[in-house]
Amino acid sequence: MLLEAKNLVFGYERGKNTLDGVSLAIEAGERVALVGPSGCGKSTLARILAGQLRPASGAATLDGKPLPLRGFCPVQLIYQHPEKAINPRWKLGKTLTEAWSPGDEFLSELGIEKAWLGRYPAELSGGELQRFCIARALAPQTRFIIADEISTMLDVITQAQIWELLLRVADERGLGLLAITHSRALAERVCARVAEFGDLR
Amino acid sequence: MLDVKNLSLSFRMYDGAFRRRDLKVIANLNVSVREGEILAVAGSSGSGKSLLAHAILGVLPKNAILEGEMLWFGKPLDAALQKKLRGHQLALVPQSVTYLDPLMRVGRQISKEKETVKELFGRYHLQDEVARRFPHELSGGMTRRILISAALAGEPKVVIADEPTPGLSPHLAEHAMKHFREIADSGSAVLLITHDIDLAVRFADRIAVFYAGTTVETANASDFADESLLRHPYSRALWRAMPQNGFSPTDGTQPYAGSLPAGCLYAPRCAMRTPECVSAPPEPRDIRGGEVSCLYAT
């Protein structure tokens, strides 16, 4: 499996391109960290790679084929702000089972308490919500995970716990991983390769 | 400048129509921030750090019950005083980027004075045209800088910054921290709520470590240079989990509000636990220039 971005061009405004000919390839089982200044287009690239945005030109492909427009996308994006990635009017049990139904053991490994499933997002902290987003993204059909600053809002112990679990699942299933982060220490700890956004031409 | 003594906070909840129970989320919390100082508050997610900020500002939801003491320059910080200070002498940099009004251009949300906006934007390297944008048109890092500018527009005496740096590149995070440092050096006080212990160590004077709604240790920032300088087992576990210090997670999660243990809140995960730890919560003690709540701290 190969997730590939070729010559992506994308702009939110006419005449101003956020991405201008960006290319990147990640193989199954590979872990790549992406670093770069704020506002340079890292999250935009993440959204195109996960099939959530269409590039103006260029293409994001999985094994040479375009990403599916409907149904489950094998490239799953975990966002920086979980409170914006969860329906505020749904109880968390419904959010969790949106794509698949994780088992009890999996939930307890992620540190998700049973009682939280009956709560609304506003009643939990950001770190607690992020665990739901991670559990939701790790469906069996998932082949690639794009982690966009997923642990910046977590304390270091929870951060280490969540990465330990995410890396273990990624290893077991041979998932590819793109980790967007501002922390050099974290990038070097979880990834084999560190890519500078500015060098992705 | 600002003292919080023995603070407890509960939420009144209703199970069904008539059964009432109080859910305790903060207990025996002690924090004081002095003139010219940055006090960092670090600790686990959901340990009540943001609730502390909201309690100080008086913006808790209606079902919250506060006990204990909050003092502003020695005077009780009550609802009337909070209302007077809020937004002027007492400012908040909020945690969530959803605190901006989605239907209002960001320039107007910072200040009605165009000049003030211009000056603050210059300080945070935001282009003037950004003022005309709506919140959804900003990147994560830009939104952070907007939130910081909005808080500093009123020239506050005490700034409470609730996770101001996540999503900022190291360069911009450092820049923001230097501004907080300047604010502190000019005689104000900064209460910095953060997960980023690296930044806290470099810019703060003292670090208060929170766990499950209580302060377990208040240490000098320099104590975080090495595990052996820290006093509480939880502070040491935090140190070991940092990516550059081993990245090794301690098992378990912090106890959930409503099912808190009777004794030391960290006891269920602690390797040094003894029967005494489980029977009663430890009293804070002064050790090596810091304050710690652990029977076996050295």
Side-chain angles (χ1 to χ4, degrees):
Chain A
M1 279 255 168
L2 182 69
L3 177 65
E4 213 175 3
K6 267 191 204 147
N7 279 318
L8 294 180
V9 177
F10 184 89
Y12 290 98
E13 277 170 59
R14 199 177 289 240
K16 243 207 246 164
N17 283 336
T18 309
L19 304 183
D20 202 359
V22 169
S23 300
L24 175 70
I26 308 161
E27 283 183 55
E30 195 185 10
R31 296 180 198 158
V32 183
L34 180 61
V35 297
S38 294
C40 71
K42 300 187 298 293
S43 298
T44 304
L45 174 62
R47 293 182 66 194
I48 293 176
L49 279 173
Q52 300 186 358
L53 273 182
R54 303 277 135 205
S57 75
T61 57
L62 189 61
D63 271 348
K65 287 186 277 265
L67 296 165
L69 283 168
R70 5 175 84 228
F72 190 86
C73 182
V75 185
Q76 283 290 307
L77 173 59
I78 306 172
Y79 283 87
Q80 183 176 356
H81 302 295
E83 68 272 26
K84 296 205 287 189
I86 285 180
N87 188 333
R89 294 180 185 276
W90 284 4
K91 285 189 178 164
L92 284 157
K94 189 172 173 189
T95 296
L96 184 68
T97 51
E98 229 179 328
W100 70 301
S101 300
D104 286 354
E105 198 186 327
F106 190 73
L107 293 186
S108 73
E109 276 180 66
L110 263 177
I112 292 177
E113 305 251 348
K114 275 264 165 188
W116 298 350
L117 301 184
R119 290 173 186 269
Y120 287 99
E123 297 172 55
L124 295 185
S125 75
E128 290 161 352
L129 290 179
Q130 191 64 296
R131 295 165 198 235
F132 281 90
C133 294
I134 292 170
R136 179 173 63 173
L138 285 174
Q141 312 95 297
T142 302
R143 307 267 44 108
F144 285 89
I145 288 283
I146 299 178
D148 188 358
E149 294 267 23
I150 60 164
S151 57
T152 24
M153 76 298 296
L154 305 177
D155 64 84
V156 284
I157 293 181
T158 314
Q159 165 172 282
Q161 283 176 342
I162 275 185
W163 277 107
E164 192 186 44
L165 179 89
L166 194 55
L167 296 179
R168 199 176 72 228
V169 176
D171 269 347
E172 278 167 14
R173 303 191 193 163
L175 305 181
L177 174 78
L178 180 69
I180 298 175
T181 179
H182 284 306
S183 162
R184 275 272 165 190
L186 180 66
E188 281 160 17
R189 191 51 90 160
V190 299
C191 291
R193 170 154 75 96
V194 178
E196 286 278 350
F197 187 85
D199 302 335
L200 300 180
R201 309 248 142 194
Chain B
M1 243 170 156
L2 180 67
D3 291 289
V4 175
K5 288 180 190 162
N6 265 323
L7 190 80
S8 294
L9 171 67
S10 321
F11 286 111
R12 182 146 288 180
M13 315 249 283
Y14 291 90
D15 294 339
F18 300 108
R19 204 174 312 152
R20 196 182 78 189
R21 69 195 170 100
D22 291 342
L23 191 66
K24 201 163 218 177
V25 286
I26 287 181
N28 307 324
L29 188 87
N30 291 292
V31 163
S32 66
V33 51
R34 304 167 195 156
E35 223 169 290
E37 162 184 86
I38 299 182
L39 174 75
V41 171
S44 56
S45 315
S47 64
K49 303 193 296 293
S50 299
L51 287 173
L52 169 68
H54 291 200
I56 294 171
L57 284 149
V59 293
L60 288 167
K62 282 214 176 75
N63 63 338
I65 307 156
L66 264 185
E67 288 160 272
E69 230 183 346
M70 291 193 288
L71 300 174
W72 172 269
F73 291 93
K75 276 186 294 188
L77 184 60
D78 54 19
L81 187 57
Q82 282 167 333
K83 196 172 175 208
K84 202 178 109 198
L85 300 172
R86 200 158 58 210
H88 307 286
Q89 293 185 52
L90 180 59
L92 173 73
V93 181
Q95 169 178 26
S96 174
V97 287
T98 55
Y99 278 64
L100 288 171
D101 183 341
L103 298 177
M104 196 171 167
R105 295 186 194 277
V106 295
R108 288 271 300 169
Q109 298 193 42
I110 292 176
S111 171
K112 285 182 181 144
E113 309 290 331
K114 286 222 168 94
E115 284 308 304
T116 314
V117 175
K118 217 174 168 170
E119 195 234 295
L120 284 165
F121 271 35
R123 237 202 255 177
Y124 288 100
H125 303 288
L126 290 160
Q127 282 158 357
D128 288 346
E129 57 93 15
V130 174
R132 294 201 34 80
R133 294 203 202 168
F134 288 102
H136 74 271
E137 299 174 292
L138 305 173
S139 78
M142 279 164 142
T143 312
R144 288 277 168 219
R145 284 179 275 165
I146 299 277
L147 290 171
I148 296 172
S149 321
L152 301 188
E155 304 194 343
K157 279 219 176 75
V158 173
V159 180
I160 300 174
D162 191 357
E163 303 270 7
T165 55
L168 294 183
S169 66
H171 175 75
L172 282 171
E174 210 162 286
H175 195 78
M177 289 306 299
K178 277 186 187 146
H179 270 290
F180 287 126
R181 190 68 257 175
E182 269 172 36
I183 295 166
D185 291 344
S186 70
S188 299
V190 179
L191 187 75
L192 174 78
I193 296 171
T194 185
H195 286 306
D196 197 327
I197 297 177
D198 280 335
L199 274 186
V201 168
R202 285 169 51 207
F203 291 95
D205 300 288
R206 293 183 302 144
I207 300 179
V209 181
F210 275 35
Y211 185 76
T214 195
T215 22
V216 294
E217 173 169 354
T218 307
N220 293 317
S222 55
D223 293 344
F224 271 83
D226 193 82
E227 188 184 348
S228 64
L229 296 174
L230 293 167
R231 297 159 190 85
H232 197 279
Y234 177 66
S235 318
R236 294 183 176 178
L238 273 182
W239 191 91
R240 287 193 301 272
M242 289 163 74
Q244 61 274 44
N245 300 342
F247 207 43
S248 76
T250 307
D251 281 343
T253 49
Q254 78 179 337
Y256 190 59
S259 55
L260 294 182
C264 170
L265 299 180
Y266 190 64
R269 292 169 81 181
C270 186
M272 294 156 69
R273 176 186 61 228
T274 62
E276 286 86 75
C277 301
V278 187
S279 57
E283 290 292 320
R285 303 187 284 151
D286 288 327
I287 291 183
R288 291 187 284 115
E291 198 181 81
V292 60
S293 299
C294 174
L295 296 174
Y296 305 105
T298 47

